[in-house]
Amino acid sequence: MSVPWNPAGEPAPLGSADGTITLVEGSAFCISGRTGNLAPGGAQGLFFRDTRFLSRLEVRVNGATPERLAATVTDPFSAAFVSRVGPTLLVIRHRYIGRGMREDLTVRNYGEEAAFCSIELILEADFADLFDVKAGRAPAAADHVVEVVGDDLVFRHRRGAHRRGTHIALTPPARLSGTDAIYEVIVPAKGEWSTCVEVSPVIDAEVIEPRWRCGQPVERATPVERLAQWRRRVPLVETDHVGLRTVVARSAEDLGALRIFDPDFPERAVVAAGAPWFMTLFGRDSLITSWMALLIDPDLALGVLQTLARFQGQDEDARYEEEPGRILHEMRFSEASSLSLGGGKVYYG
């Protein structure tokens, strides 16, 4: 028998042979192809607190998938994707992850004449459990509803008392057909057209406000401010050895990206075990990593110790192998209704 935190089988492949892009912020992460599309049927998607809230996001222009040109990860939580349609149209997508997702989509026309564009966004949400996705299993059977609420597209999912949803707002509003959002626009010569897609998870009946909101400056979002503060605090290493300089800089960036903040104790940061599948608190991994990073940020070790002490075993519970005094092995959130670490399930084995 396998338990959720120790699944049997090999992980599902993350994408095509030309690689994938993974963005992380706290307990949210997104895996996509290098076109920017989230392809269905595999491990790609937008995940938050161990549930996949968006399993498909594909952009088509005039019925065709744009040809990929470039993909750049600008920060751990953001990326830019550039593709083209024919000789004169560029499709530029800026994606931001954090308690949901924001995507700014722009079509630029470099031609001498105006261009008609039918822009289609194909959207799906299967609410698969992270461990089912990782193991390549089909999502569990559940009641699934898609509806239009005002100008927004809403996916609803229910399995027993477990309720999840995905709320998708588009600015400007699109014509909604099934799970597709469609725009028919004229892009002027040497001009551009843009839309913003805001994806909000829904846990029970609560719509979770994403870190990034359409219409608001991205540079003032919480993840940007936290990362800037982290970069200011990380010690500078000066060396003529290019390889060492690169490793130190990359390690500092990765460590900053793995931090998780508990809304119950926002001054405490803990370090997750790894991206993308283990963006959660682990006892052994978090302790060892924060101990090795004492020279970089001793507050990280303090936050890990305080949080592990908060969840130290108190009772005898064979289901989770809890014993008095035992330190947790792993924390998971798939059916938790609270955004705090205290709302997760704790396994001590």
Side-chain angles (χ1 to χ4, degrees):
M1 182 182 73
S2 63
V3 292
W5 33 74
N6 191 23
E10 292 297 318
L14 292 184
S16 58
D18 63 347
T20 57
I21 296 289
T22 299
L23 305 176
V24 298
E25 199 284 319
S27 58
F29 66 91
C30 180
I31 302 172
S32 74
R34 300 187 71 85
T35 62
N37 285 338
L38 311 182
Q44 296 182 14
L46 171 67
F47 297 79
F48 179 57
R49 295 181 70 84
D50 298 340
T51 296
R52 181 161 60 185
F53 283 88
L54 198 63
S55 53
R56 186 180 188 184
L57 170 56
E58 296 184 345
V59 173
R60 294 178 185 169
V61 179
N62 296 333
T65 299
E67 177 188 356
R68 173 171 64 89
L69 296 179
T72 303
V73 176
T74 50
D75 281 311
F77 40 73
S78 62
F81 306 90
V82 181
S83 54
R84 70 178 180 182
V85 180
T88 61
L89 294 178
L90 279 188
V91 179
I92 303 167
R93 301 164 70 174
H94 291 277
R95 177 172 297 158
Y96 308 91
I97 303 300
R99 299 207 321 182
M101 185 177 84
R102 167 179 166 176
E103 181 157 318
D104 299 330
L105 175 79
T106 300
V107 178
R108 290 181 182 166
N109 179 10
Y110 288 92
E112 300 292 339
E113 298 180 355
F116 170 80
C117 292
S118 175
I119 302 161
E120 182 181 13
L121 282 69
I122 305 170
L123 301 147
E124 292 179 6
D126 64 359
F127 304 98
D129 183 89
L130 178 144
F131 288 102
D132 287 340
V133 176
K134 184 172 180 290
R137 294 190 293 262
D143 295 330
H144 195 84
V145 176
V146 182
E147 57 187 357
V148 176
V149 179
D151 294 324
D152 303 338
L153 186 64
V154 179
F155 295 84
R156 303 189 192 278
H157 168 94
R158 182 165 189 156
R159 188 177 70 251
H162 179 69
R163 293 182 297 161
R164 294 292 182 267
T166 301
H167 188 278
I168 300 174
L170 300 108
T171 307
R175 176 170 63 86
L176 300 175
S177 176
T179 63
D180 295 355
I182 302 167
Y183 294 96
E184 294 183 341
V185 298
I186 302 293
V187 184
K190 308 298 184 181
E192 65 180 38
W193 171 91
S194 297
T195 187
C196 181
V197 183
E198 186 176 300
V199 182
S200 305
V202 182
I203 297 179
D204 290 338
E206 181 182 0
V207 179
I208 307 303
E209 182 176 300
R211 296 290 189 194
W212 316 84
R213 305 299 306 275
C214 288
Q216 296 183 5
V218 296
E219 62 272 11
R220 298 181 61 183
T222 298
V224 173
E225 293 178 346
R226 283 177 174 167
L227 185 59
Q229 184 183 42
W230 168 261
R231 286 169 172 166
R232 288 193 297 268
R233 294 177 59 182
V234 170
L236 295 176
V237 176
E238 295 184 2
T239 174
D240 294 332
H241 193 294
V242 177
L244 176 59
R245 188 167 63 244
T246 301
V247 167
V248 170
R250 180 72 268 166
S251 299
E253 288 290 291
D254 290 348
L255 189 60
L258 290 174
R259 294 175 303 154
I260 296 176
F261 295 85
D262 186 346
D264 287 350
F265 297 90
E267 74 285 357
R268 298 179 186 174
V270 299
V271 60
W277 303 114
F278 303 105
M279 288 302 296
T280 186
L281 178 65
F282 276 67
R284 175 190 60 203
D285 303 72
S286 300
L287 278 170
I288 292 174
T289 302
S290 61
W291 170 64
M292 295 177 70
L294 279 171
L295 289 174
I296 299 293
D297 184 5
D299 288 342
L300 189 59
L302 178 61
V304 169
L305 288 171
Q306 290 172 323
T307 304
L308 291 176
R310 177 185 171 198
F311 297 107
Q312 193 165 0
Q314 298 182 9
D315 303 315
E316 296 274 354
D317 191 333
R319 295 174 302 169
Y320 305 110
E321 299 196 43
E322 180 181 0
E323 296 175 359
R326 200 166 195 179
I327 298 298
L328 67 85
H329 165 64
E330 180 179 0
M331 182 177 287
R332 285 297 177 181
F333 308 98
S334 57
E335 296 193 1
S337 58
S338 169
L339 293 184
S340 72
L341 291 178
K345 286 186 177 180
V346 180
Y347 177 58
Y348 293 86

